Amino acid sequence: MKRSEVLGQILTPDGTTLRLTRRDTEYIILASGRSLMSSRMHGSEEALATLACGRMRVLEQPCVLIGGLGMGFTLRATLDLLPPDATVLVAEMVPDVVEWNYGPLGPLAGHPLKDKRVQIEIGDVAVRLRSSHDKFDAVLLDVDNGPTAFTASDNAWLYDDRGIAATHTALKMNGVLAVWSARDDRRFENRLRYGKFAVQVERVR
């Protein structure tokens, strides 16, 4: 049995321990000892981008906000769908996660942070949403395991009525909000409808 190698560890402001490990060719990010993401399974992250940004190749200068960098797979899939004049703003709360993506995680998704269309913002995606109006063609949220906050209790704001309203304001007309979730959440779907979103649930492997 191959042993895990710890490549990095950080304590987040809310007390969560994030650890980057490698076992053979697989990279895993753990949150307080529980698996948060793995380099072996990233089809759902790519689907998040495909479902949200599939129509944007024909837009002029589309602007996309991604909450959460992870291992870069959502960002890579987003970039692959966008034209050369696009802008992709990535809000990541943990600086070490960005450093991991410049370092050992970079090759996994083809070094998406090196793309000139990408802007990295260290901080809470909620701050960007609160300060934006009619700015984004799509907002992709992959900051947690879904509407039930897993790694940071502060993420809960994104999924309540205030966060939904702020996101709606930050989006352009006909803009798209895409939220990664590990499971169905009917209450969140209803909150989205109440917040004037047309809701579509897509199930992917």
Side-chain angles (χ1 to χ4, degrees):
M1 182 176 179
K2 296 182 182 297
R3 292 184 177 182
S4 293
E5 175 186 3
V6 178
L7 302 179
Q9 181 170 305
I10 182 68
L11 185 67
T12 66
D14 75 330
T16 300
T17 299
L18 288 185
R19 183 179 294 119
L20 174 64
T21 66
R22 179 176 61 197
R23 182 187 294 116
D24 197 14
T25 60
E26 178 187 12
Y27 292 82
I28 302 170
I29 294 180
L30 303 169
S32 295
R34 293 185 291 175
S35 179
L36 182 61
M37 61 191 72
S38 165
S39 62
R40 286 196 305 110
M41 298 177 289
H42 48 84
S44 58
E45 288 91 337
E46 293 164 346
L48 183 75
T50 301
L51 293 168
C53 302
R55 66 181 182 87
M56 293 187 188
R57 280 199 175 101
V58 297
L59 297 182
E60 291 187 8
Q61 298 181 324
C63 186
V64 175
L65 172 63
I66 298 178
L69 175 59
M71 293 184 172
F73 293 113
T74 299
L75 175 57
R76 164 51 58 201
T78 299
L79 291 168
D80 289 346
L81 291 164
L82 297 180
D85 61 356
T87 299
V88 182
L89 176 62
V90 181
E92 171 55 56
M93 289 187 66
V94 184
D96 291 69
V97 172
V98 177
E99 291 304 313
W100 295 344
N101 275 269
Y102 277 119
L105 297 180
L108 299 178
H111 296 285
L113 293 185
K114 294 183 178 181
D115 193 297
K116 65 181 182 180
R117 296 170 291 177
V118 175
Q119 299 175 13
I120 289 288
E121 186 171 286
I122 302 298
D124 193 340
V125 67
V127 175
R128 172 57 60 182
L129 289 171
R130 288 190 187 106
S131 62
S132 301
H133 179 80
D134 193 29
K135 180 176 178 64
F136 301 109
D137 294 284
V139 172
L140 284 63
L141 297 181
D142 190 9
V143 298
D144 221 309
N145 265 13
T148 302
F150 174 49
T151 59
S153 58
D154 290 344
N155 290 340
W157 178 89
L158 292 170
Y159 309 114
D160 68 19
D161 291 339
R162 296 166 300 164
I164 290 170
T167 303
H168 195 281
T169 299
L171 284 165
K172 298 177 183 178
M173 185 177 293
N174 298 320
V176 177
L177 166 64
V179 180
W180 193 98
S181 180
R183 60 190 62 84
D184 289 341
D185 191 324
R186 296 295 177 84
R187 290 183 179 180
F188 180 57
E189 292 174 39
N190 289 332
R191 284 199 295 271
L192 286 172
R193 293 186 180 98
Y194 181 78
K196 302 179 182 179
F197 281 96
V199 179
Q200 180 176 339
V201 177
E202 296 284 347
R203 294 174 178 84
V204 298
R205 293 184 63 184

PDB file of all heavy atoms in Angstrom, residues 15-31:
ATOM      1  N   GLY A  15     -10.574  28.047  11.343  1.00  0.00           N
ATOM      2  CA  GLY A  15     -10.098  26.912  12.114  1.00  0.00           C
ATOM      3  C   GLY A  15     -10.031  25.596  11.369  1.00  0.00           C
ATOM      4  O   GLY A  15      -9.677  24.569  11.961  1.00  0.00           O
ATOM      5  N   THR A  16     -10.360  25.586  10.088  1.00  0.00           N
ATOM      6  CA  THR A  16     -10.283  24.363   9.288  1.00  0.00           C
ATOM      7  C   THR A  16      -8.841  24.096   8.856  1.00  0.00           C
ATOM      8  O   THR A  16      -8.155  25.005   8.393  1.00  0.00           O
ATOM      9  CB  THR A  16     -11.164  24.476   8.033  1.00  0.00           C
ATOM     10  OG1 THR A  16     -12.519  24.697   8.419  1.00  0.00           O
ATOM     11  CG2 THR A  16     -11.087  23.208   7.193  1.00  0.00           C
ATOM     12  N   THR A  17      -8.386  22.881   9.016  1.00  0.00           N
ATOM     13  CA  THR A  17      -7.054  22.506   8.549  1.00  0.00           C
ATOM     14  C   THR A  17      -7.153  21.945   7.141  1.00  0.00           C
ATOM     15  O   THR A  17      -7.809  20.929   6.912  1.00  0.00           O
ATOM     16  CB  THR A  17      -6.425  21.449   9.472  1.00  0.00           C
ATOM     17  OG1 THR A  17      -6.291  21.989  10.787  1.00  0.00           O
ATOM     18  CG2 THR A  17      -5.047  21.047   8.955  1.00  0.00           C
ATOM     19  N   LEU A  18      -6.543  22.628   6.188  1.00  0.00           N
ATOM     20  CA  LEU A  18      -6.467  22.135   4.817  1.00  0.00           C
ATOM     21  C   LEU A  18      -5.105  21.502   4.600  1.00  0.00           C
ATOM     22  O   LEU A  18      -4.071  22.097   4.932  1.00  0.00           O
ATOM     23  CB  LEU A  18      -6.669  23.275   3.813  1.00  0.00           C
ATOM     24  CG  LEU A  18      -8.061  23.878   3.659  1.00  0.00           C
ATOM     25  CD1 LEU A  18      -8.061  24.906   2.530  1.00  0.00           C
ATOM     26  CD2 LEU A  18      -9.113  22.816   3.390  1.00  0.00           C
ATOM     27  N   ARG A  19      -5.110  20.301   4.041  1.00  0.00           N
ATOM     28  CA  ARG A  19      -3.858  19.580   3.822  1.00  0.00           C
ATOM     29  C   ARG A  19      -3.817  19.064   2.394  1.00  0.00           C
ATOM     30  O   ARG A  19      -4.769  18.427   1.931  1.00  0.00           O
ATOM     31  CB  ARG A  19      -3.745  18.416   4.814  1.00  0.00           C
ATOM     32  CG  ARG A  19      -2.434  17.651   4.713  1.00  0.00           C
ATOM     33  CD  ARG A  19      -2.372  16.517   5.728  1.00  0.00           C
ATOM     34  NE  ARG A  19      -2.349  17.020   7.096  1.00  0.00           N
ATOM     35  CZ  ARG A  19      -3.266  16.764   8.015  1.00  0.00           C
ATOM     36  NH1 ARG A  19      -4.302  15.993   7.703  1.00  0.00           N
ATOM     37  NH2 ARG A  19      -3.166  17.243   9.229  1.00  0.00           N
ATOM     38  N   LEU A  20      -2.743  19.352   1.694  1.00  0.00           N
ATOM     39  CA  LEU A  20      -2.519  18.813   0.356  1.00  0.00           C
ATOM     40  C   LEU A  20      -1.639  17.582   0.479  1.00  0.00           C
ATOM     41  O   LEU A  20      -0.527  17.656   1.012  1.00  0.00           O
ATOM     42  CB  LEU A  20      -1.850  19.852  -0.542  1.00  0.00           C
ATOM     43  CG  LEU A  20      -1.423  19.361  -1.933  1.00  0.00           C
ATOM     44  CD1 LEU A  20      -2.631  18.940  -2.764  1.00  0.00           C
ATOM     45  CD2 LEU A  20      -0.618  20.437  -2.667  1.00  0.00           C
ATOM     46  N   THR A  21      -2.146  16.448  -0.017  1.00  0.00           N
ATOM     47  CA  THR A  21      -1.385  15.203   0.046  1.00  0.00           C
ATOM     48  C   THR A  21      -1.270  14.581  -1.345  1.00  0.00           C
ATOM     49  O   THR A  21      -2.045  14.889  -2.250  1.00  0.00           O
ATOM     50  CB  THR A  21      -2.048  14.179   0.988  1.00  0.00           C
ATOM     51  OG1 THR A  21      -3.310  13.767   0.432  1.00  0.00           O
ATOM     52  CG2 THR A  21      -2.279  14.778   2.364  1.00  0.00           C
ATOM     53  N   ARG A  22      -0.302  13.693  -1.466  1.00  0.00           N
ATOM     54  CA  ARG A  22      -0.117  12.947  -2.726  1.00  0.00           C
ATOM     55  C   ARG A  22       0.095  11.479  -2.384  1.00  0.00           C
ATOM     56  O   ARG A  22       0.876  11.135  -1.508  1.00  0.00           O
ATOM     57  CB  ARG A  22       1.082  13.482  -3.499  1.00  0.00           C
ATOM     58  CG  ARG A  22       1.344  12.725  -4.817  1.00  0.00           C
ATOM     59  CD  ARG A  22       2.484  13.367  -5.591  1.00  0.00           C
ATOM     60  NE  ARG A  22       3.724  13.330  -4.819  1.00  0.00           N
ATOM     61  CZ  ARG A  22       4.801  14.086  -5.084  1.00  0.00           C
ATOM     62  NH1 ARG A  22       4.774  14.943  -6.084  1.00  0.00           N
ATOM     63  NH2 ARG A  22       5.890  13.995  -4.326  1.00  0.00           N
ATOM     64  N   ARG A  23      -0.634  10.627  -3.098  1.00  0.00           N
ATOM     65  CA  ARG A  23      -0.437   9.185  -3.001  1.00  0.00           C
ATOM     66  C   ARG A  23      -0.205   8.663  -4.402  1.00  0.00           C
ATOM     67  O   ARG A  23      -1.111   8.681  -5.234  1.00  0.00           O
ATOM     68  CB  ARG A  23      -1.649   8.484  -2.376  1.00  0.00           C
ATOM     69  CG  ARG A  23      -1.437   6.975  -2.208  1.00  0.00           C
ATOM     70  CD  ARG A  23      -2.686   6.258  -1.750  1.00  0.00           C
ATOM     71  NE  ARG A  23      -3.093   6.648  -0.407  1.00  0.00           N
ATOM     72  CZ  ARG A  23      -4.223   7.276  -0.116  1.00  0.00           C
ATOM     73  NH1 ARG A  23      -5.062   7.617  -1.096  1.00  0.00           N
ATOM     74  NH2 ARG A  23      -4.529   7.583   1.124  1.00  0.00           N
ATOM     75  N   ASP A  24       1.018   8.278  -4.703  1.00  0.00           N
ATOM     76  CA  ASP A  24       1.398   7.889  -6.055  1.00  0.00           C
ATOM     77  C   ASP A  24       1.159   9.076  -6.989  1.00  0.00           C
ATOM     78  O   ASP A  24       1.763  10.122  -6.808  1.00  0.00           O
ATOM     79  CB  ASP A  24       0.639   6.638  -6.482  1.00  0.00           C
ATOM     80  CG  ASP A  24       1.269   5.956  -7.697  1.00  0.00           C
ATOM     81  OD1 ASP A  24       2.413   6.292  -8.042  1.00  0.00           O
ATOM     82  OD2 ASP A  24       0.616   5.115  -8.308  1.00  0.00           O
ATOM     83  N   THR A  25       0.239   8.968  -7.959  1.00  0.00           N
ATOM     84  CA  THR A  25      -0.019  10.078  -8.877  1.00  0.00           C
ATOM     85  C   THR A  25      -1.280  10.869  -8.515  1.00  0.00           C
ATOM     86  O   THR A  25      -1.647  11.805  -9.222  1.00  0.00           O
ATOM     87  CB  THR A  25      -0.177   9.549 -10.311  1.00  0.00           C
ATOM     88  OG1 THR A  25      -1.270   8.625 -10.372  1.00  0.00           O
ATOM     89  CG2 THR A  25       1.094   8.869 -10.781  1.00  0.00           C
ATOM     90  N   GLU A  26      -1.941  10.485  -7.412  1.00  0.00           N
ATOM     91  CA  GLU A  26      -3.189  11.151  -7.018  1.00  0.00           C
ATOM     92  C   GLU A  26      -2.905  12.239  -5.986  1.00  0.00           C
ATOM     93  O   GLU A  26      -2.182  12.027  -5.014  1.00  0.00           O
ATOM     94  CB  GLU A  26      -4.178  10.139  -6.440  1.00  0.00           C
ATOM     95  CG  GLU A  26      -5.480  10.770  -5.973  1.00  0.00           C
ATOM     96  CD  GLU A  26      -6.387   9.792  -5.260  1.00  0.00           C
ATOM     97  OE1 GLU A  26      -5.911   8.676  -4.928  1.00  0.00           O
ATOM     98  OE2 GLU A  26      -7.563  10.123  -5.023  1.00  0.00           O
ATOM     99  N   TYR A  27      -3.514  13.413  -6.215  1.00  0.00           N
ATOM    100  CA  TYR A  27      -3.438  14.510  -5.261  1.00  0.00           C
ATOM    101  C   TYR A  27      -4.798  14.645  -4.566  1.00  0.00           C
ATOM    102  O   TYR A  27      -5.845  14.556  -5.215  1.00  0.00           O
ATOM    103  CB  TYR A  27      -3.084  15.819  -5.956  1.00  0.00           C
ATOM    104  CG  TYR A  27      -1.681  15.856  -6.506  1.00  0.00           C
ATOM    105  CD1 TYR A  27      -1.387  15.285  -7.745  1.00  0.00           C
ATOM    106  CD2 TYR A  27      -0.641  16.445  -5.798  1.00  0.00           C
ATOM    107  CE1 TYR A  27      -0.100  15.306  -8.259  1.00  0.00           C
ATOM    108  CE2 TYR A  27       0.651  16.476  -6.300  1.00  0.00           C
ATOM    109  CZ  TYR A  27       0.912  15.904  -7.538  1.00  0.00           C
ATOM    110  OH  TYR A  27       2.189  15.926  -8.042  1.00  0.00           O
ATOM    111  N   ILE A  28      -4.755  14.874  -3.264  1.00  0.00           N
ATOM    112  CA  ILE A  28      -5.979  15.000  -2.484  1.00  0.00           C
ATOM    113  C   ILE A  28      -5.854  16.216  -1.569  1.00  0.00           C
ATOM    114  O   ILE A  28      -4.808  16.428  -0.938  1.00  0.00           O
ATOM    115  CB  ILE A  28      -6.237  13.747  -1.620  1.00  0.00           C
ATOM    116  CG1 ILE A  28      -6.329  12.495  -2.494  1.00  0.00           C
ATOM    117  CG2 ILE A  28      -7.521  13.907  -0.793  1.00  0.00           C
ATOM    118  CD1 ILE A  28      -6.339  11.199  -1.697  1.00  0.00           C
ATOM    119  N   ILE A  29      -6.913  17.025  -1.508  1.00  0.00           N
ATOM    120  CA  ILE A  29      -6.992  18.092  -0.525  1.00  0.00           C
ATOM    121  C   ILE A  29      -7.975  17.653   0.546  1.00  0.00           C
ATOM    122  O   ILE A  29      -9.126  17.318   0.257  1.00  0.00           O
ATOM    123  CB  ILE A  29      -7.424  19.422  -1.160  1.00  0.00           C
ATOM    124  CG1 ILE A  29      -6.338  19.922  -2.125  1.00  0.00           C
ATOM    125  CG2 ILE A  29      -7.680  20.477  -0.078  1.00  0.00           C
ATOM    126  CD1 ILE A  29      -6.676  21.238  -2.810  1.00  0.00           C
ATOM    127  N   LEU A  30      -7.499  17.648   1.792  1.00  0.00           N
ATOM    128  CA  LEU A  30      -8.301  17.254   2.933  1.00  0.00           C
ATOM    129  C   LEU A  30      -8.709  18.489   3.726  1.00  0.00           C
ATOM    130  O   LEU A  30      -7.918  19.428   3.891  1.00  0.00           O
ATOM    131  CB  LEU A  30      -7.519  16.300   3.838  1.00  0.00           C
ATOM    132  CG  LEU A  30      -6.991  15.013   3.198  1.00  0.00           C
ATOM    133  CD1 LEU A  30      -6.012  14.322   4.132  1.00  0.00           C
ATOM    134  CD2 LEU A  30      -8.139  14.080   2.860  1.00  0.00           C
ATOM    135  N   ALA A  31      -9.930  18.487   4.240  1.00  0.00           N
ATOM    136  CA  ALA A  31     -10.414  19.535   5.127  1.00  0.00           C
ATOM    137  C   ALA A  31     -10.688  18.916   6.481  1.00  0.00           C
ATOM    138  O   ALA A  31     -11.610  18.109   6.626  1.00  0.00           O
ATOM    139  CB  ALA A  31     -11.683  20.176   4.560  1.00  0.00           C
TER     140      ALA A  31
END
